[in-house]
Amino acid sequence: MDKILILDFGSQVTQLIARRVREAHVYSELHSFDVSIDFIREFKPTGIILSGGPNSVYESDYQADPKLFELGIPVLGICYGMQWMAESLGGKVEAGTVREFGFAEINSQENSKLFGGLEDRKNSAGESLLEVWMSHGDKVTALPAGFSVIASNDACPIAAISDEARGFYAVQFHPEVTHTLKGREMINRFVLDICGAKPSWTMPNYIDVAVAKIREQVGSDEVILGLSGGVDSSVAAALIHRAIGNQLTCVFVDNGLLRLNEGKQVMATFAEHLGVKVIHVDASAQFMGHLAGVTDPEAKRKIIGREFVEVFQAESAKLPSAKWLAQGTIYPDVIESAGAKTGKAHTIKSHHNVGGLPETMKLSLLEPLRELFKDEVRELGVALGLAPELVYRHPFPGPGLGVRILGEVKQEYADLLRFADAIFIEELRAAVDEKTGKNWYELTSQAFVVFLPVKSVGVMGDGRTYDYVVALRAVVTSDFMTAKWAELPYDLLGKVSNRIINEVKGINRVVYDVSGKPPATIEWE
């Protein structure tokens, strides 16, 4: 199988490179920039991509082995990767007088294998322009021997370079992010055309590989899985059940922070329809007790993660052969917790299933989805035969409503939020967009209600109210690394607001969050 090796220099968006390569149906793996040349040779990549990073190449010890340029395979450098390539091969990198962060346009060369035929528009001189996303302060100021400039703009005269004879390409911008409009085509050009990789990486093909890996890892041991009802844990359960059958026992924990009627739905789906062994544990009093008085978001996440593990350990004691704790950890969880294999990214927030597990946990971890992005997880779920309404359900955070209640978590707050959230989702499903024919739940990637622990004055009938405020949050995203707030119709927002205020006693004001990611995160905590 053809595969692409991605060397990570510490960029927050490095994982997106792997995602773009996989979208071309070519397998890729991400490894630290400092792997040995022997490792690279043994990996036998069809091509190598060098990621971006936060450092300056002329003063950083983030240096890969330059012998990789002697392997006779194509290499693509991105941002820092471009600068490291240029300096390693005899060029020069200096601090720029003008920094570029965000949108930019570049003038690209038509005769380049990487850019030829790609354009977003033409300028008045008839030259091809591409809209890209820049994030750099340094820049290449002198080319290595054999290289030529294939894209430029006023702020960055050397915005992309190539040595076509050796198959070396480098770009100062980030083609892996959606803001670079033709970025996917550029990566496809490199992977499929320049490297000549065959597109054989698909989720149906992956099932056999994943099943074999799980069987080899687990053997005859029993596995216990924390089933939340969300997409990730559901697909993990289906995949592991496919691999080891009754060796898997799922534990569904009611922590008091679930969505409305979620317990009944989960038990019906897995225990009744899929034939999976599921133990239903009501631990709501345990979780609420430990969360009392805690307001810090990170502390809440740690507590919820810790209590999950405590429950799993208690249940595993009833299963003498249980040696593994399975989790639905996926790539975005790892990225934001800076828990990737390299450990080079900066921490944004921890996730209970990668950052909050105590060292005293008695079970080994089984994470069969850890290398997959959300869209791949969904594709895998469909390939495993799960119902589309389950597979395409919006993501739900591991800590549940605990991170959608700002500040201290109280039973009263959770109950109010549960009902408000159910109304929002119900109305999103009922409202159909005339242009697309899809409902707004399908058109949004994630939507939910956030409980604000503040009260505002209101009027209902002839009386004054002093009740709580909730915020509606809905975003559109392709990768959950960046996101735009969803432009929901005003009449839909108005209907949701009216229903929540009228039907959920204790809430008298509804607001809508119009923040993107970045600078905000999708969840509020």
Side-chain angles (χ1 to χ4, degrees), residues 123-139:
N123 61 17
S124 57
E127 297 169 322
S128 296
L129 297 181
L130 291 167
E131 294 186 14
V132 300
W133 192 72
M134 294 277 196
S135 181
H136 70 102
D138 297 338
K139 61 183 180 181

Side-chain angles (χ1 to χ4, degrees), residues 196-493:
K198 296 179 178 61
S200 59
W201 169 255
T202 65
M203 286 301 101
N205 291 342
Y206 176 69
I207 290 175
D208 292 339
V209 175
V211 164
K213 184 176 180 181
I214 292 168
R215 287 173 179 167
E216 179 183 0
Q217 191 173 1
V218 171
S220 61
D221 294 339
E222 291 191 18
V223 177
I224 187 171
L225 180 144
L227 184 61
S228 70
V231 176
D232 303 334
S233 67
S234 297
V235 174
L239 178 61
I240 297 170
H241 187 256
R242 172 77 65 92
I244 60 174
N246 286 335
Q247 289 172 242
L248 170 67
T249 299
C250 293
V251 177
F252 176 65
V253 180
D254 185 348
N255 58 4
L257 300 169
L258 303 175
R259 290 167 286 197
L260 191 65
N261 298 323
E262 190 156 25
K264 295 179 181 178
Q265 294 169 359
V266 169
M267 293 302 292
T269 298
F270 287 90
E272 297 173 20
H273 298 304
L274 296 181
V276 179
K277 289 193 295 185
V278 183
I279 298 172
H280 190 176
V281 182
D282 184 356
S284 54
Q286 175 180 337
F287 279 80
M288 288 296 183
H290 285 286
L291 287 168
V294 179
T295 59
D296 179 72
E298 281 296 285
K300 289 194 295 183
R301 287 177 177 271
K302 299 288 187 184
I303 289 170
I304 293 169
R306 183 191 70 206
E307 294 309 309
F308 265 116
V309 173
E310 290 295 326
V311 172
F312 293 146
Q313 287 181 327
E315 292 303 321
S316 68
K318 304 172 186 177
L319 299 167
S321 298
K323 305 296 183 184
W324 299 86
L325 170 63
Q327 296 189 143
T329 307
I330 66 172
Y331 251 164
D333 300 337
V334 177
I335 299 164
E336 291 198 328
S337 297
K341 295 175 183 176
T342 61
K344 304 298 182 182
H346 295 281
T347 298
I348 305 299
K349 60 184 177 182
S350 69
H351 288 259
H352 82 281
N353 53 348
V354 289
L357 296 174
E359 295 179 0
T360 56
M361 191 183 68
K362 299 174 184 177
L363 301 173
S364 299
L365 278 180
L366 176 64
E367 298 174 315
L369 310 180
R370 187 180 177 89
E371 304 296 330
L372 301 183
F373 289 97
K374 179 68 73 173
D375 56 337
E376 291 179 315
V377 173
R378 294 187 196 279
E379 289 177 25
L380 179 59
V382 171
L384 287 165
L386 292 177
E389 57 267 25
L390 173 63
V391 172
Y392 288 97
R393 191 179 188 186
H394 287 183
F396 189 60
L401 301 181
V403 292
R404 292 179 179 175
I405 297 171
L406 301 194
E408 183 180 5
V409 177
K410 296 182 180 180
Q411 189 66 53
E412 174 195 5
Y413 298 169
D415 290 339
L416 291 173
L417 179 55
R418 240 186 297 276
F419 283 104
D421 188 76
I423 290 171
F424 187 28
I425 299 304
E426 181 181 320
E427 291 300 333
L428 287 174
R429 290 187 184 278
V432 176
D433 174 54
E434 293 182 358
K435 293 181 179 178
T436 63
K438 296 182 178 181
N439 66 52
W440 279 99
Y441 186 84
E442 296 173 291
L443 293 173
T444 54
S445 307
Q446 193 167 357
F448 53 91
V449 178
V450 178
F451 181 87
L452 309 182
V454 295
K455 289 187 173 183
S456 71
V457 174
V459 178
M460 288 190 180
D462 295 323
R464 174 186 183 273
T465 62
Y466 189 54
D467 288 326
Y468 291 106
V469 181
V470 295
L472 308 180
R473 176 70 157 152
V475 299
V476 176
T477 176
S478 61
D479 50 38
F480 289 86
M481 296 301 298
T482 61
K484 295 180 179 180
W485 61 274
E487 297 183 24
L488 300 180
Y490 290 155
D491 58 347
L492 173 57
L493 290 172

Side-chain angles (χ1 to χ4, degrees), residues 65-114:
D65 193 327
K67 290 180 182 177
L68 65 87
F69 294 114
E70 300 171 9
L71 298 177
I73 59 176
V75 181
L76 171 65
I78 296 173
C79 198
Y80 182 94
M82 170 179 174
Q83 296 166 10
W84 179 78
M85 177 189 287
E87 185 143 297
S88 298
L89 294 174
K92 188 173 182 58
V93 177
E94 298 177 284
T97 55
V98 178
R99 300 192 303 171
E100 286 185 295
F101 293 96
F103 170 82
E105 281 189 323
I106 58 170
N107 184 339
S108 60
Q109 298 297 316
E110 292 276 349
N111 59 355
S112 164
K113 291 182 181 178
L114 194 63

Side-chain angles (χ1 to χ4, degrees), residues 29 52 141 305 354 387 494 500:
E29 282 189 18
T141 56
V354 289
I500 290 174

